[in-house]
Amino acid sequence: MQSQSAINLTIAQLRADTPGCQNSLFLNSAGASLMPQPVVQAMQDYLQLETQLGGYEVERLRQAQIGRFYEETARLLNTRPEHIAFAYSATHATFQALSAIPFREGDTILTTTNDYVSNQLALLSMQQRLGIKSLRIHDLPNGDLDLTHAEELIRTHRPVLVAITHIPTNSGLVLPAEEVGKLCQQYGAWYLLDAAQSVGQLPLDVTRIHPDFLVATGRKFLRGPRNTGFLYVSDRVLTAGLAPLFIDRRAATWTVQDSYALQPGARRFEPQEISLLSVGLAEAVGYANQVGIEAIAWQNQRLMHRLRTGLEQIDGITLLDWGFCQSNLLTFHTARQPLSALDAALRHSRVVFTVQYPNSALIDFGRKGIDWLVRLSPHYFNTLDEMDEVVDIIAHFLR
């Protein structure tokens, strides 16, 4: 990791750009983070112009501003702008990718026990409607993905697609995205990586991970607006001519009565409606690039070490995050007090957090033997003092 001096904005500037962190102990960037003021200002200015000229005219006039989204996102992932498509969410991007693959009855999709719930539901729906078989890679005793079992399944079943979630919604676990990418390259499977929880908090380099599809959302660690996301597609996808089943007029040109021509790049996956939300996402990705993703990851590592170390000292707290490599999601449970009392105590102390239940991660909750968990997810605009304060609040509550 880079040193703290590598952060291109001071912590004072980061917090000045984030007024919400003055009024709360905000630990919910894994849900929907706080947008920096430049993001909000860009959308307000764009919307104000729309009130004068209407959406289509502003879109025509602001093509360069809209185009910045592709440039900044490509920079973030170490790729080229033609590999980036705007999406309404990571789930929307996932559905676009799934619909582009020409599955046949009897095909196999390989996933994990930690895949995001919406992805699992989509695969189950495809299994029921299309006759596709979905298999899950086993985990090692420490919670890490069993790569030996993964290769065994790939070699035996020759899956059309391997789909994993880089960081689950219910755990700080980080799955080995690069190693899975190598297996997919070796055996020729399409590779879909859900990076909704990792983009904006960890460096992502598609030249090292080698995904065919990478999906992400804007509202989490990228600190963009809701209803935004993006899809990265590889050269292999474009060369193969893959495109979503339902294409929009932004994605293709109606050339003759019974035919059309696809956009040459990733924009064949895009919806028609591109508006001030994409401008907000462009500003958010640009802000992350300005701060520096390596510096963000370094600061996050400091915050999480302080938070985990503090909570580990509290009698009655069970930390639930497994695996060798962990991220900026921390989950815990306690049998000492009911959830309702803990929830009320945290909210009374202005802590912003998330409670999750089994229907968000059925397999993981079952093996951990719990029926709820509290998820804390700080980000680089938080401070070490805030981590100490949250630890003190929880310790005082349990005493």
Side-chain angles (χ1 to χ4, degrees):
M1 293 292 180
Q2 296 183 4
S3 66
Q4 188 176 15
S5 63
I7 297 178
N8 294 320
L9 297 176
T10 65
I11 190 67
Q13 181 62 59
L14 294 172
R15 291 177 71 80
D17 283 346
T18 313
C21 68
Q22 311 300 326
N23 304 313
S24 67
L25 288 167
F26 190 87
L27 300 179
N28 196 26
S29 286
S33 193
L34 298 175
M35 290 186 290
Q37 281 298 99
V39 174
V40 177
Q41 190 63 54
M43 291 192 294
Q44 287 177 336
D45 292 345
Y46 193 99
L47 181 61
Q48 184 60 40
L49 193 57
E50 281 194 348
T51 67
Q52 305 299 315
L53 301 174
Y56 282 167
E57 181 63 9
V58 176
E59 182 180 356
R60 184 185 70 83
L61 293 173
R62 293 293 182 93
Q63 282 299 303
Q65 187 178 15
I66 292 170
R68 184 177 174 225
F69 157 71
Y70 306 97
E71 297 163 3
E72 292 288 358
T73 306
R75 178 184 169 196
L76 185 72
L77 299 181
N78 190 26
T79 187
R80 301 188 304 277
E82 57 264 31
H83 290 280
I84 303 297
F86 177 79
Y88 296 140
S89 66
T91 300
H92 170 239
T94 297
F95 293 169
Q96 291 291 83
L98 290 175
S99 77
I101 300 172
F103 292 107
R104 300 177 183 273
E105 185 176 355
D107 282 346
T108 297
I109 295 175
L110 195 59
T111 185
T112 72
T113 63
N114 292 291
D115 204 24
Y116 182 53
V117 56
S118 294
N119 301 347
Q120 287 284 306
L121 293 172
L123 297 184
L124 290 172
S125 176
M126 293 171 65
Q127 186 170 287
Q128 292 178 13
R129 180 170 295 195
L130 302 178
I132 292 170
K133 182 166 56 176
S134 180
L135 301 176
R136 296 187 180 98
I137 304 166
H138 292 167
D139 300 312
L140 296 172
N142 74 338
D144 283 332
L145 195 67
D146 187 339
L147 290 169
T148 300
H149 185 239
E151 184 169 11
E152 178 185 326
L153 289 176
I154 294 174
R155 190 173 58 247
T156 302
H157 297 278
R158 296 291 172 170
V160 174
L161 172 71
V162 177
I164 73 168
T165 297
H166 199 188
I167 298 175
T169 186
N170 59 293
S171 169
L173 175 71
V174 181
L175 270 64
E178 290 187 24
E179 287 78 3
V180 173
K182 291 174 184 175
L183 287 174
C184 291
Q185 281 197 311
Q186 180 180 347
Y187 291 97
W190 296 111
Y191 179 26
L192 168 59
L193 179 66
D194 185 331
Q197 294 288 12
S198 55
V199 70
Q201 69 149 308
L202 296 176
L204 295 176
D205 185 338
V206 294
T207 67
R208 295 176 61 88
I209 299 171
H210 297 293
D212 293 298
F213 303 95
L214 183 148
V215 305
T217 184
R219 64 180 160 84
K220 297 180 183 288
F221 291 96
L222 275 179
R223 306 181 63 196
R226 292 191 71 180
N227 296 119
T228 64
F230 64 78
L231 169 66
Y232 159 85
V233 298
S234 67
D235 280 323
R236 181 180 174 222
V237 168
L238 297 176
T239 301
L242 296 191
L245 176 60
F246 299 107
I247 56 175
D248 210 335
R249 66 177 186 172
R250 186 178 178 88
T253 302
W254 194 10
T255 52
V256 295
Q257 183 170 316
D258 293 319
S259 188
Y260 58 87
L262 289 169
Q263 287 275 9
R267 296 191 199 187
R268 68 181 64 175
F269 289 87
E270 281 193 345
Q272 161 64 18
E273 293 299 327
I274 303 291
S275 67
L276 63 95
L277 292 176
S278 68
V279 169
L281 182 56
E283 193 68 37
V285 179
Y287 192 91
N289 284 334
Q290 180 187 4
V291 177
I293 193 63
E294 294 282 354
I296 289 172
W298 181 86
Q299 172 69 354
N300 285 344
Q301 187 179 63
R302 294 178 69 231
L303 294 168
M304 288 305 292
H305 176 74
R306 189 71 154 253
L307 183 59
R308 287 188 191 279
T309 301
L311 290 178
E312 283 172 349
Q313 310 308 312
I314 301 177
D315 186 38
I317 285 285
T318 301
L319 299 186
L320 301 169
D321 304 303
W322 294 352
F324 175 76
C325 184
Q326 296 182 357
S327 67
N328 258 51
L329 283 73
L330 181 149
T331 60
F332 73 88
H333 182 86
T334 180
R336 287 279 187 89
Q337 295 283 354
L339 172 61
S340 57
L342 175 60
D343 185 282
L346 289 172
R347 297 191 192 283
H348 178 74
S349 299
R350 303 177 297 108
V351 182
V352 181
F353 64 100
T354 290
V355 176
Q356 289 194 323
Y357 300 96
N359 59 4
S360 68
L362 198 61
I363 298 171
D364 197 49
F365 271 77
R367 62 191 170 194
K368 290 175 178 174
I370 55 173
D371 56 2
W372 60 266
L373 61 79
V374 169
R375 185 183 72 189
L376 305 177
S377 51
H379 206 9
Y380 63 96
F381 55 79
N382 288 118
T383 66
L384 294 176
D385 287 344
E386 287 181 320
M387 301 304 99
D388 293 340
E389 186 174 354
V390 170
V391 170
D392 289 344
I393 290 167
I394 295 171
H396 179 75
F397 166 76
L398 289 179
R399 284 197 298 266

PDB file of all heavy atoms in Angstrom, residues 194-209:
ATOM      1  N   ASP A 194     -18.924  -9.812  -9.900  1.00  0.00           N
ATOM      2  CA  ASP A 194     -19.711  -8.769  -9.250  1.00  0.00           C
ATOM      3  C   ASP A 194     -18.787  -8.018  -8.295  1.00  0.00           C
ATOM      4  O   ASP A 194     -18.404  -8.534  -7.252  1.00  0.00           O
ATOM      5  CB  ASP A 194     -20.889  -9.390  -8.495  1.00  0.00           C
ATOM      6  CG  ASP A 194     -21.821  -8.342  -7.895  1.00  0.00           C
ATOM      7  OD1 ASP A 194     -21.339  -7.247  -7.564  1.00  0.00           O
ATOM      8  OD2 ASP A 194     -23.022  -8.637  -7.735  1.00  0.00           O
ATOM      9  N   ALA A 195     -18.436  -6.797  -8.680  1.00  0.00           N
ATOM     10  CA  ALA A 195     -17.503  -5.984  -7.891  1.00  0.00           C
ATOM     11  C   ALA A 195     -18.207  -4.851  -7.172  1.00  0.00           C
ATOM     12  O   ALA A 195     -17.592  -3.826  -6.855  1.00  0.00           O
ATOM     13  CB  ALA A 195     -16.401  -5.430  -8.808  1.00  0.00           C
ATOM     14  N   ALA A 196     -19.497  -5.039  -6.885  1.00  0.00           N
ATOM     15  CA  ALA A 196     -20.278  -3.960  -6.285  1.00  0.00           C
ATOM     16  C   ALA A 196     -19.683  -3.478  -4.966  1.00  0.00           C
ATOM     17  O   ALA A 196     -19.692  -2.279  -4.668  1.00  0.00           O
ATOM     18  CB  ALA A 196     -21.725  -4.413  -6.075  1.00  0.00           C
ATOM     19  N   GLN A 197     -19.147  -4.414  -4.149  1.00  0.00           N
ATOM     20  CA  GLN A 197     -18.609  -4.026  -2.852  1.00  0.00           C
ATOM     21  C   GLN A 197     -17.115  -3.732  -2.886  1.00  0.00           C
ATOM     22  O   GLN A 197     -16.573  -3.217  -1.909  1.00  0.00           O
ATOM     23  CB  GLN A 197     -18.884  -5.129  -1.819  1.00  0.00           C
ATOM     24  CG  GLN A 197     -20.340  -5.352  -1.478  1.00  0.00           C
ATOM     25  CD  GLN A 197     -20.931  -4.224  -0.636  1.00  0.00           C
ATOM     26  OE1 GLN A 197     -20.340  -3.165  -0.464  1.00  0.00           O
ATOM     27  NE2 GLN A 197     -22.126  -4.446  -0.122  1.00  0.00           N
ATOM     28  N   SER A 198     -16.445  -4.064  -3.966  1.00  0.00           N
ATOM     29  CA  SER A 198     -14.993  -3.848  -4.005  1.00  0.00           C
ATOM     30  C   SER A 198     -14.601  -2.599  -4.777  1.00  0.00           C
ATOM     31  O   SER A 198     -13.593  -1.961  -4.448  1.00  0.00           O
ATOM     32  CB  SER A 198     -14.281  -5.071  -4.585  1.00  0.00           C
ATOM     33  OG  SER A 198     -14.786  -5.424  -5.853  1.00  0.00           O
ATOM     34  N   VAL A 199     -15.376  -2.213  -5.789  1.00  0.00           N
ATOM     35  CA  VAL A 199     -15.007  -1.031  -6.556  1.00  0.00           C
ATOM     36  C   VAL A 199     -15.134   0.200  -5.655  1.00  0.00           C
ATOM     37  O   VAL A 199     -16.106   0.370  -4.937  1.00  0.00           O
ATOM     38  CB  VAL A 199     -15.884  -0.892  -7.820  1.00  0.00           C
ATOM     39  CG1 VAL A 199     -17.319  -0.538  -7.492  1.00  0.00           C
ATOM     40  CG2 VAL A 199     -15.300   0.151  -8.772  1.00  0.00           C
ATOM     41  N   GLY A 200     -14.097   1.024  -5.661  1.00  0.00           N
ATOM     42  CA  GLY A 200     -14.102   2.219  -4.826  1.00  0.00           C
ATOM     43  C   GLY A 200     -13.422   2.031  -3.490  1.00  0.00           C
ATOM     44  O   GLY A 200     -13.100   3.022  -2.822  1.00  0.00           O
ATOM     45  N   GLN A 201     -13.204   0.778  -3.065  1.00  0.00           N
ATOM     46  CA  GLN A 201     -12.456   0.565  -1.819  1.00  0.00           C
ATOM     47  C   GLN A 201     -11.177  -0.216  -2.035  1.00  0.00           C
ATOM     48  O   GLN A 201     -10.248  -0.108  -1.237  1.00  0.00           O
ATOM     49  CB  GLN A 201     -13.322  -0.136  -0.755  1.00  0.00           C
ATOM     50  CG  GLN A 201     -13.688  -1.583  -1.031  1.00  0.00           C
ATOM     51  CD  GLN A 201     -13.845  -2.388   0.259  1.00  0.00           C
ATOM     52  OE1 GLN A 201     -12.954  -2.383   1.098  1.00  0.00           O
ATOM     53  NE2 GLN A 201     -14.969  -3.055   0.414  1.00  0.00           N
ATOM     54  N   LEU A 202     -11.100  -0.996  -3.119  1.00  0.00           N
ATOM     55  CA  LEU A 202      -9.904  -1.780  -3.426  1.00  0.00           C
ATOM     56  C   LEU A 202      -9.472  -1.522  -4.869  1.00  0.00           C
ATOM     57  O   LEU A 202     -10.320  -1.269  -5.737  1.00  0.00           O
ATOM     58  CB  LEU A 202     -10.184  -3.273  -3.262  1.00  0.00           C
ATOM     59  CG  LEU A 202     -10.543  -3.786  -1.868  1.00  0.00           C
ATOM     60  CD1 LEU A 202     -10.885  -5.269  -1.936  1.00  0.00           C
ATOM     61  CD2 LEU A 202      -9.411  -3.536  -0.881  1.00  0.00           C
ATOM     62  N   PRO A 203      -8.189  -1.602  -5.171  1.00  0.00           N
ATOM     63  CA  PRO A 203      -7.751  -1.484  -6.566  1.00  0.00           C
ATOM     64  C   PRO A 203      -8.300  -2.647  -7.388  1.00  0.00           C
ATOM     65  O   PRO A 203      -8.260  -3.807  -6.957  1.00  0.00           O
ATOM     66  CB  PRO A 203      -6.225  -1.550  -6.465  1.00  0.00           C
ATOM     67  CG  PRO A 203      -5.904  -1.210  -5.048  1.00  0.00           C
ATOM     68  CD  PRO A 203      -7.051  -1.716  -4.234  1.00  0.00           C
ATOM     69  N   LEU A 204      -8.814  -2.354  -8.579  1.00  0.00           N
ATOM     70  CA  LEU A 204      -9.311  -3.366  -9.503  1.00  0.00           C
ATOM     71  C   LEU A 204      -8.645  -3.134 -10.851  1.00  0.00           C
ATOM     72  O   LEU A 204      -8.804  -2.073 -11.456  1.00  0.00           O
ATOM     73  CB  LEU A 204     -10.828  -3.278  -9.664  1.00  0.00           C
ATOM     74  CG  LEU A 204     -11.688  -3.578  -8.435  1.00  0.00           C
ATOM     75  CD1 LEU A 204     -13.157  -3.356  -8.757  1.00  0.00           C
ATOM     76  CD2 LEU A 204     -11.469  -4.996  -7.946  1.00  0.00           C
ATOM     77  N   ASP A 205      -7.917  -4.130 -11.323  1.00  0.00           N
ATOM     78  CA  ASP A 205      -7.210  -4.033 -12.593  1.00  0.00           C
ATOM     79  C   ASP A 205      -7.685  -5.187 -13.479  1.00  0.00           C
ATOM     80  O   ASP A 205      -7.355  -6.347 -13.219  1.00  0.00           O
ATOM     81  CB  ASP A 205      -5.698  -4.119 -12.355  1.00  0.00           C
ATOM     82  CG  ASP A 205      -4.887  -3.893 -13.623  1.00  0.00           C
ATOM     83  OD1 ASP A 205      -5.443  -4.083 -14.728  1.00  0.00           O
ATOM     84  OD2 ASP A 205      -3.694  -3.538 -13.506  1.00  0.00           O
ATOM     85  N   VAL A 206      -8.457  -4.871 -14.506  1.00  0.00           N
ATOM     86  CA  VAL A 206      -9.038  -5.935 -15.325  1.00  0.00           C
ATOM     87  C   VAL A 206      -7.975  -6.672 -16.144  1.00  0.00           C
ATOM     88  O   VAL A 206      -8.220  -7.788 -16.600  1.00  0.00           O
ATOM     89  CB  VAL A 206     -10.147  -5.395 -16.253  1.00  0.00           C
ATOM     90  CG1 VAL A 206     -11.332  -4.897 -15.441  1.00  0.00           C
ATOM     91  CG2 VAL A 206      -9.621  -4.299 -17.172  1.00  0.00           C
ATOM     92  N   THR A 207      -6.798  -6.071 -16.303  1.00  0.00           N
ATOM     93  CA  THR A 207      -5.734  -6.784 -17.012  1.00  0.00           C
ATOM     94  C   THR A 207      -5.109  -7.869 -16.130  1.00  0.00           C
ATOM     95  O   THR A 207      -4.399  -8.742 -16.633  1.00  0.00           O
ATOM     96  CB  THR A 207      -4.622  -5.821 -17.477  1.00  0.00           C
ATOM     97  OG1 THR A 207      -3.929  -5.290 -16.348  1.00  0.00           O
ATOM     98  CG2 THR A 207      -5.200  -4.685 -18.302  1.00  0.00           C
ATOM     99  N   ARG A 208      -5.374  -7.817 -14.837  1.00  0.00           N
ATOM    100  CA  ARG A 208      -4.906  -8.854 -13.915  1.00  0.00           C
ATOM    101  C   ARG A 208      -6.022  -9.837 -13.558  1.00  0.00           C
ATOM    102  O   ARG A 208      -5.778 -11.033 -13.393  1.00  0.00           O
ATOM    103  CB  ARG A 208      -4.360  -8.215 -12.632  1.00  0.00           C
ATOM    104  CG  ARG A 208      -3.117  -7.358 -12.855  1.00  0.00           C
ATOM    105  CD  ARG A 208      -2.691  -6.670 -11.576  1.00  0.00           C
ATOM    106  NE  ARG A 208      -2.362  -7.650 -10.536  1.00  0.00           N
ATOM    107  CZ  ARG A 208      -1.163  -8.189 -10.369  1.00  0.00           C
ATOM    108  NH1 ARG A 208      -0.169  -7.853 -11.177  1.00  0.00           N
ATOM    109  NH2 ARG A 208      -0.947  -9.056  -9.403  1.00  0.00           N
ATOM    110  N   ILE A 209      -7.245  -9.336 -13.449  1.00  0.00           N
ATOM    111  CA  ILE A 209      -8.379 -10.181 -13.060  1.00  0.00           C
ATOM    112  C   ILE A 209      -8.917 -10.971 -14.250  1.00  0.00           C
ATOM    113  O   ILE A 209      -9.385 -12.093 -14.112  1.00  0.00           O
ATOM    114  CB  ILE A 209      -9.499  -9.312 -12.437  1.00  0.00           C
ATOM    115  CG1 ILE A 209      -8.982  -8.601 -11.184  1.00  0.00           C
ATOM    116  CG2 ILE A 209     -10.730 -10.153 -12.104  1.00  0.00           C
ATOM    117  CD1 ILE A 209      -9.941  -7.568 -10.626  1.00  0.00           C
TER     118      ILE A 209
END
